[in-house]
Amino acid sequence: MKLVIINYGSGNLHSVHKAFEAVNNNLENPYEIIVTNTPSEILNADKLVLPGVGAFQDCKNAIHKIEGLFESLEEVVIGEKKAFMGICVGMQLLAEKSLEFGECEGFGWIPGEVIKIEAPADYKIPHMGWNEVTFRNHELLNNISQNTDFYFVHSYYFRTQKNENCIATTKYPNPITAAVLKENIYGTQFHPEKSHNNGKQIITNFLEWEPS
Amino acid sequence: MLKKRIIPCLDVDRGRVVKGVNFVDLIDAGDPVEQAKIYNSEGADELCFLDITASSDDRETLFEVVKKTAENCFIPLTVGGGVRTIDDISRLLHHGADKVSINTAAVENIDLVAIAAKKYGSSTIVIAVDAKKNGDKSWNIFTHGGRKPTDIDALEYCIEVANLGAGEILLTSMDRDGTKIGFDNELLSTVSSSIDIPVIASGGVGNLEHFVEGVLKGGASALLAASIFHFGEYSIKDVKTYLAEQNIAVRI
């Protein structure tokens, strides 16, 4: 089984890779982890991870700059319904559009838009640090307790159009989407690769997940 | 609720951990990767490496340390010290740093802040400010590891870099650094109340009450400390337990 981590120059690629590797090494049937941006390798993936930090538009442009990358992703994720996980901006890209630095279209895989966090004046932006997550029961959140802290760092968030696509939230002090899910497409706003043991559990759950 | 972060800082010289008292008198306190692993397991919320290696010939050791740390510690790692160019930032990030802290280079070329924030995201760019009191509610910044004075007002500078896209300010009081008499909470609150981005308190922490004051009086989002942890006076857990008892939200 092949797990592909998409390399389009994202700043957290190394951290994501190392965390997935550490978790994968403990699995009974470890994946072959491939870090790549080559369409032919993406087309052979059994699972995919899209990291992302920085501005929405920059990430999107970086993906589209690599010929055939987006098309191969779409083929595997939408066409073949392979399990996909986006992290931080990699999750936000799933939205229809973002309002960060003007309007920018996203992948449009999950209905909703990425908007600025609205918080009272004494709340610092970016929302940076460890915050509690509450969630709906799902195997992707197995062995995680309600109100577990995860590491966040972002100024915009994914407001899903449908409640059913938001499976986890945090509060700052208003509710903020912490994880989205639509069929085989999953994403976390927080950084599992930086969330210590609970983050590793999130990665384990994704590696063990078989979307129906 | 968002937790107040406790960040142990390791000063690294040619791949070894040291901590200066008032920026001189360095005392060796061990291997950075081993120390990082301990802090990671003890519940540190982030780690900070400050590279103080003087010679650029010896700086390669830092990349190895960052790489090994990132392979072992799954919490955010900030690396600073001697970061001059976009290429420096890029190399640190690719070796596993999650955030890069910039000090002197941002003062000398303020455009670097905007360029770096645009390229790697605000959340990746920490601006480190070394400030020294020069009068009533007034502080000037120093560069070159606290050796070179400037005429630049610390508050105005922090506001400017925040507007340019810095994600966080690491604010060190040079008056307090190494003294163990507590953070300069006046400095912290002056800056923190004037900018939207988080401020990390640094310099002067000597006991558990100082951490509480940094939050309540200084308005800090995160608290950085070095020698108090390295020499085992208090553990991360001691600090967090104490903060929790004072009703300050921390990750236990």
Side-chain angles (χ1 to χ4, degrees):
Chain A
M1 297 279 274
K2 289 187 170 123
L3 176 96
V4 164
I5 302 175
I6 312 289
N7 176 11
Y8 62 97
S10 171
N12 64 338
L13 176 73
H14 181 90
S15 297
V16 169
H17 181 202
K18 290 300 151 192
F20 272 78
E21 227 170 36
V23 171
N24 190 52
N25 288 340
N26 291 328
L27 293 184
E28 231 171 88
N29 296 309
Y31 286 80
E32 181 188 348
I33 296 185
I34 304 162
V35 178
T36 184
N37 58 19
T38 308
S40 60
E41 291 194 277
I42 291 167
L43 290 169
N44 282 324
D46 296 292
K47 270 186 190 177
L48 301 109
V49 178
L50 184 69
V53 292
F56 186 98
Q57 189 150 9
D58 290 342
C59 289
K60 190 174 177 241
N61 291 345
I63 289 170
H64 281 279
K65 230 186 233 171
I66 300 164
E67 204 177 322
L69 173 57
F70 179 72
E71 291 72 18
S72 59
L73 266 178
E74 208 168 31
E75 167 67 29
V76 181
V77 179
I78 302 297
E80 298 172 24
K81 297 210 176 293
K82 296 283 168 62
F84 171 95
M85 179 177 189
I87 295 172
C88 195
V89 180
M91 166 270 220
Q92 295 184 354
L93 285 166
L94 304 174
E96 291 163 309
K97 66 176 176 183
S98 164
L99 300 180
E100 187 178 5
F101 298 121
E103 207 173 301
C104 176
E105 260 183 49
F107 295 175
W109 292 351
I110 296 183
E113 57 187 17
V114 176
I115 58 172
K116 181 113 183 152
I117 295 171
E118 281 175 24
D122 55 336
Y123 279 70
K124 298 290 187 187
I125 303 285
H127 170 229
M128 185 186 289
W130 299 78
N131 207 344
E132 288 153 45
V133 169
T134 54
F135 51 85
R136 269 202 337 250
N137 281 340
H138 190 280
E139 59 190 298
L140 285 164
L141 294 144
N142 276 352
N143 299 313
I144 302 282
S145 309
Q146 291 289 351
N147 303 314
T148 293
D149 289 314
F150 288 95
Y151 187 80
F152 288 85
V153 45
H154 61 128
S155 303
Y156 286 74
Y157 78 102
F158 188 167
R159 188 173 61 189
T160 59
Q161 198 187 88
K162 297 176 184 169
N163 278 336
E164 65 189 56
N165 292 141
C166 173
I167 59 163
T169 56
T170 186
K171 280 187 176 164
Y172 193 62
N174 305 313
I176 288 174
T177 304
V180 295
L181 177 67
K182 187 185 167 210
E183 299 170 11
N184 56 315
I185 305 168
Y186 169 53
T188 62
Q189 178 63 63
F190 57 84
H191 290 268
E193 78 279 13
K194 289 289 135 193
S195 295
H196 201 223
N197 291 339
N198 289 308
K200 285 187 181 172
Q201 183 63 50
I202 290 285
I203 294 171
T204 305
N205 293 342
F206 176 68
L207 293 178
E208 289 175 350
W209 182 43
E210 286 173 24
S212 44
Chain B
M1 186 185 282
L2 187 67
K3 306 301 189 293
K4 297 297 176 186
R5 289 168 281 151
I6 306 298
I7 309 174
C9 179
L10 294 85
D11 286 6
V12 179
D13 184 11
R14 285 167 291 176
R16 297 284 294 170
V17 180
V18 287
K19 171 59 195 173
V21 177
N22 280 332
F23 293 103
V24 286
D25 295 335
L26 302 178
I27 305 163
D28 193 327
D31 171 21
V33 182
E34 288 308 308
Q35 287 223 10
K37 278 194 214 167
I38 293 168
Y39 289 131
N40 184 47
S41 63
E42 273 187 349
D45 295 309
E46 291 184 27
L47 286 170
C48 180
F49 283 173
L50 179 63
D51 185 44
I52 55 169
T53 307
S55 157
S56 54
D57 295 344
D58 295 326
R59 296 207 75 224
E60 294 297 315
T61 55
L62 178 72
F63 295 115
E64 266 315 294
V65 167
V66 169
K67 186 162 173 273
K68 279 192 194 143
T69 305
E71 283 164 9
N72 288 285
C73 298
F74 301 105
I75 56 173
L77 172 65
T78 301
V79 183
V83 176
R84 315 286 306 173
T85 63
I86 289 290
D87 188 51
D88 291 338
I89 298 169
S90 175
R91 286 189 75 189
L92 285 169
L93 292 174
H94 285 115
H95 279 83
D98 298 290
K99 307 182 203 177
V100 172
S101 128
I102 312 171
N103 191 327
T104 305
V107 178
E108 291 178 344
N109 173 19
I110 198 99
D111 294 340
L112 182 66
V113 180
I115 295 165
K118 182 84 174 69
K119 189 163 168 70
Y120 296 108
S122 287
S123 59
T124 309
I125 305 303
V126 181
I127 299 300
V129 178
D130 293 335
K132 194 169 169 58
K133 200 168 168 81
N134 72 347
D136 185 38
K137 292 213 171 199
S138 169
W139 297 262
N140 280 355
I141 61 174
F142 278 61
T143 59
H144 298 83
R147 291 188 300 275
K148 200 173 164 191
T150 74
D151 297 331
I152 301 166
D153 179 77
L155 176 61
E156 284 174 21
Y157 178 72
C158 290
I159 292 171
E160 189 177 5
V161 294
N163 287 336
L164 289 171
E168 228 176 352
I169 302 280
L170 167 52
L171 186 53
T172 301
S173 161
M174 293 192 51
D175 303 296
R176 299 300 180 93
D177 199 65
T179 64
K180 299 195 175 185
I181 59 170
F183 295 115
D184 184 342
N185 293 311
E186 198 182 25
L187 167 66
L188 288 169
S189 65
T190 301
V191 172
S192 173
S193 62
S194 306
I195 55 175
D196 288 337
I197 60 175
V199 172
I200 306 169
S202 161
V205 70
N207 63 39
L208 297 176
E209 192 55 34
H210 292 155
F211 285 97
V212 175
E213 289 169 1
V215 173
L216 298 183
K217 294 184 184 166
S221 297
L223 305 150
L224 182 126
S227 41
I228 192 171
F229 293 132
H230 297 177
F231 297 111
E233 290 163 73
Y234 299 101
S235 67
I236 304 276
K237 190 159 177 272
D238 293 336
V239 174
K240 289 192 163 184
T241 305
Y242 189 76
L243 287 172
E245 283 167 9
Q246 314 299 313
N247 293 319
I248 293 170
V250 285
R251 182 179 67 105
I252 300 279

